[in-house]
Amino acid sequence: MEVKVIKFDHLGNGISKIGEKVVFIKRALPNEIVDIVINKDNKKYQFATIKSIIKKSEKRIDSLCPYYDKCGGCDFLHTTDDTEEQFKINKGKELLGSNIEFYNTKTFNYRNKVVLHVKDNQVGFYKEKSNNIIDVDYCYLLDDSLNRVLDLLRSYVKNNKHNIKEVMIRTGNEIMMDVTGTVNNDFVNYFSFVDTIIINDKVIKGKGYIDKQILDYKFKISPKSFFQVNYCGLEEIYHILKDNLKSDYNKALDLYSGTSVMGILISDFCKEVISVESNSSATNDALINIKNNNINNLKVINEKVENVIDKLRDSDLIIIDPPRSGLDKKTISYLEEIHSKNLVYISCDMITLKRDLEALKKYYDISKMYLVNMFPKTYHVESVCFLKCRKEDEIK
């Protein structure tokens, strides 16, 4: 069945129509004419894949990755960088508003963390929407030090007795492996260039964590702690904060703070900063990060935000960086109640960000919106939204 692709959906798929039904076509580009196969048919919409391309977009390119058609990790290897950028800008305008500034980062080899699955002597990623493993020897999104470990891990899995299930690899100033499963006695020697090796939560080699220098700051990163996967993107966010924040805040809140990266980065602008994070591994790292960077105005609370939010008042700056699911109702109610003068919402999901901004719009107006391409070649993008509290006479 031949159809013309009208535009992108929010996931980077092409959209067409057959009668009254919307058709979502995987990896189709706007203005292409494609012959499709319907894979799933619902009452109001259908999902399809391309059988052949009748009229190809000038923006279509050949994917450099041999696993692209099977692996679900990337979304934009079949088109140009400017197409991806415009897709993300248009998505931001449609969901969040028109005044958006876009910041790019490294196109490839930007990820500092990866989780690899191992099964039947195969090492790689799950095939999209399945538990089948795509055996990969190189990933263009990973830092080259991670690809080096991946290559050696494939060799180890194919040539040694083991029962490895999963391997997390992180890189900073050093390299860390966190292995789930069993290995033979020669495993550490096999990966001699890896600085820290952890097997089933037991440190076998190294100090059990890695360090990373970000601008003028030093950070400890433990295997269970959240940290941004794109260091270049994190630096862009810092520059955005520095360009938009003043230097005389009395008290700032850093909510969903992880290892207190944002709290540390804004500590120069504030008399007092309070970081709140529920992950104890992350808050333990935060305490060390505070000490290592000689920060004396930052307090860390290891608790869920919703459990302490009503006790943290009189804050003239609040930075929130919640998980993909966004804010809970209690936290939103608190943010409405205290009317903090300045609110910065950092999000990796525009849909939940839009939802939360709708809930906050009675009390807050968007003043500036930035998109940082933290996840190139995927449909994901990091939003940095600056909100100003409305004056009392503007609140209806």
Side-chain angles (χ1 to χ4, degrees):
M1 182 179 300
E2 293 184 15
V3 296
K4 183 174 182 179
V5 183
I6 303 167
K7 61 178 182 178
F8 284 124
D9 71 0
H10 291 161
L11 302 181
N13 299 306
I15 293 180
S16 186
K17 290 196 76 175
I18 300 176
E20 296 301 314
K21 284 190 177 183
V22 175
V23 186
F24 300 98
I25 309 167
K26 187 175 179 61
R27 291 177 184 156
L29 298 176
N31 299 316
E32 287 188 326
I33 298 175
V34 293
D35 185 11
I36 62 172
V37 176
I38 303 298
N39 304 118
K40 188 174 181 180
D41 190 357
N42 290 321
K43 187 175 181 179
K44 294 184 178 180
Y45 55 89
Q46 297 172 319
F47 293 96
T49 51
I50 297 174
K51 183 178 179 181
S52 63
I53 301 174
I54 311 301
K55 179 184 177 184
K56 183 185 295 187
S57 168
E58 62 181 13
K59 297 294 185 178
R60 181 174 287 276
I61 62 174
D62 293 331
S63 167
L64 75 174
C65 177
Y67 313 108
Y68 186 48
D69 290 337
K70 299 177 181 179
C71 177
C74 294
D75 306 294
F76 286 103
L77 290 179
H78 63 295
T79 189
T80 58
D81 292 345
D82 65 300
T83 302
E84 176 192 339
E85 178 178 335
Q86 197 58 54
F87 158 79
K88 293 179 176 180
I89 292 172
N90 290 343
K91 180 178 176 179
K93 289 179 177 179
E94 181 179 341
L95 293 174
L96 306 174
S98 58
N99 298 319
I100 289 177
E101 292 187 37
F102 189 88
Y103 289 78
N104 258 315
T105 61
K106 288 179 66 176
T107 303
F108 294 110
N109 304 114
Y110 62 85
R111 283 193 67 96
N112 57 56
K113 176 186 176 183
V114 65
V115 176
L116 298 168
H117 304 285
V118 181
K119 184 179 179 182
D120 298 331
N121 289 338
Q122 293 184 317
V123 180
F125 309 111
Y126 285 134
K127 185 177 180 179
E128 190 174 15
K129 297 180 181 179
S130 83
N131 290 323
N132 297 324
I133 293 177
I134 305 299
D135 193 31
V136 302
D137 59 5
Y138 186 89
C139 174
Y140 285 92
L141 301 193
L142 303 185
D143 183 280
D144 273 336
S145 63
L146 300 185
N147 275 310
R148 183 183 175 195
V149 179
L150 166 60
D151 185 56
L152 196 60
L153 182 62
R154 293 179 78 250
S155 172
Y156 178 87
V157 164
K158 288 173 174 33
N159 295 293
N160 292 271
K161 291 183 178 180
H162 69 90
N163 188 27
I164 298 174
K165 304 296 185 185
E166 190 175 273
V167 179
M168 185 277 289
I169 317 167
R170 260 182 162 156
T171 184
N173 298 343
E174 308 102 350
I175 303 173
M176 172 170 60
M177 293 178 71
D178 186 3
V179 180
T180 301
T182 57
V183 299
N184 66 25
N185 293 330
D186 197 41
F187 187 84
V188 172
N189 291 334
Y190 208 91
F191 295 90
S192 58
F193 66 92
V194 175
D195 303 280
T196 285
I197 297 177
I198 303 162
I199 301 177
N200 299 324
D201 296 327
K202 182 179 179 180
V203 179
I204 304 300
K205 177 187 178 183
K207 54 193 180 183
Y209 61 89
I210 58 173
D211 295 301
K212 176 60 181 176
Q213 183 87 16
I214 303 289
L215 301 168
D216 295 326
Y217 301 94
K218 298 175 289 185
F219 294 97
K220 173 193 174 187
I221 309 171
S222 293
K224 299 294 190 292
S225 297
F226 169 79
F227 207 92
Q228 282 80 0
V229 299
N230 184 334
Y231 293 135
C232 293
L234 177 57
E235 291 185 5
E236 289 292 354
I237 291 175
Y238 169 75
H239 292 307
I240 289 170
L241 293 175
K242 187 176 180 180
D243 290 343
N244 285 275
L245 297 180
K246 300 181 297 181
S247 58
D248 58 350
Y249 300 99
N250 288 315
K251 183 165 80 174
L253 300 183
D254 172 26
L255 304 182
Y256 311 93
S257 58
T259 54
S260 289
V261 174
M262 294 302 165
I264 289 171
L265 293 180
I266 66 169
S267 60
D268 284 345
F269 310 146
C270 313
K271 293 180 181 178
E272 178 187 9
V273 182
I274 299 174
S275 289
V276 182
E277 169 60 47
S278 61
N279 183 307
S280 58
S281 174
T283 52
N284 289 337
D285 285 355
L287 293 172
I288 293 173
N289 292 335
I290 291 166
K291 180 179 179 181
N292 288 345
N293 289 288
N294 299 313
I295 308 295
N296 55 22
N297 61 339
L298 203 166
K299 176 184 176 183
V300 176
I301 298 175
N302 178 212
E303 185 56 90
K304 292 182 177 179
V305 169
E306 60 266 31
N307 292 344
V308 297
I309 188 71
D310 55 344
K311 302 179 181 66
L312 302 173
R313 299 179 178 274
D314 304 320
S315 303
D316 49 356
L317 172 63
I318 300 177
I319 294 182
I320 51 178
D321 189 1
R324 197 176 298 276
S325 57
L327 300 175
D328 62 279
K329 291 182 179 180
K330 183 177 178 181
T331 301
I332 288 176
S333 296
Y334 169 79
L335 293 173
E336 291 174 338
E337 179 184 334
I338 64 166
H339 303 167
S340 179
K341 292 180 180 179
N342 302 280
L343 180 62
V344 184
Y345 193 142
I346 301 172
S347 172
C348 60
D349 191 305
M350 282 191 199
I351 303 296
T352 54
L353 174 59
K354 175 179 172 61
R355 179 202 67 199
D356 292 345
L357 292 179
E358 280 291 316
L360 293 167
K361 69 179 182 180
K362 180 178 178 180
Y363 296 93
Y364 294 91
D365 287 320
I366 297 174
S367 58
K368 288 187 178 180
M369 179 70 71
Y370 299 86
L371 299 180
V372 178
N373 203 9
M374 188 79 82
F375 316 99
K377 299 305 170 187
T378 78
Y379 70 83
H380 299 288
V381 66
E382 196 86 349
S383 305
V384 184
C385 182
F386 290 82
L387 298 104
K388 290 288 186 183
C389 183
R390 289 186 172 191
K391 297 178 180 179
E392 291 292 337
D393 59 355
E394 294 176 329
I395 298 173
K396 299 178 182 179

